[in-house]
Amino acid sequence: MNDVSLVGPDDGETIHLGPARIRILEDGSTTGHRLGIGEITIAPHTQGPPQHRHAQHDEGFYVVSGTVHFTIGQTTHAAPAGTLAMIPPGAPSRRSR
């Protein structure tokens, strides 16, 4: 049985990339690299991290406010508040608001 992983409201690694603040809640290390979860704060009308891919794990994003645009490859998906976006391993992705 695996240990439970808890990340509190002030825990997790925080990275600042331009106007985006990223808090890593799960980097895959406690899920056998099956899942990664990040909390990203992006100001309106700004770009998030550049397009990138994760080879080993899915990424999950739950949109709390506003609308986030997820570009997966060449396709952009609008995700309003209340949307869960799951990005599969190896898919090139970027986020903007």
Side-chain angles (χ1 to χ4, degrees):
M1 178 153 104
N2 293 335
D3 291 333
V4 172
S5 173
L6 298 174
V7 180
D10 296 320
D11 298 335
E13 178 186 4
T14 300
I15 303 165
H16 294 275
L17 284 175
R21 183 180 66 81
I22 304 167
R23 186 167 69 112
I24 306 300
L25 301 172
E26 172 56 59
D27 65 2
S29 62
T30 62
T31 66
H33 296 287
R34 295 180 310 269
L35 178 66
I37 299 175
E39 174 187 85
I40 300 179
T41 304
I42 304 172
H45 310 292
T46 60
Q47 299 295 315
Q51 194 167 61
H52 64 284
R53 65 181 84 215
H54 295 275
Q56 294 184 310
H57 63 263
D58 295 12
E59 286 186 289
F61 297 94
Y62 181 74
V63 180
V64 175
S65 66
T67 297
V68 176
H69 295 88
F70 291 90
T71 302
I72 313 303
Q74 299 297 317
T75 304
T76 299
H77 306 273
T83 300
L84 172 67
M86 292 300 302
I87 314 301
S93 66
R94 76 172 291 145
R95 290 151 299 282
S96 62
R97 186 160 175 216

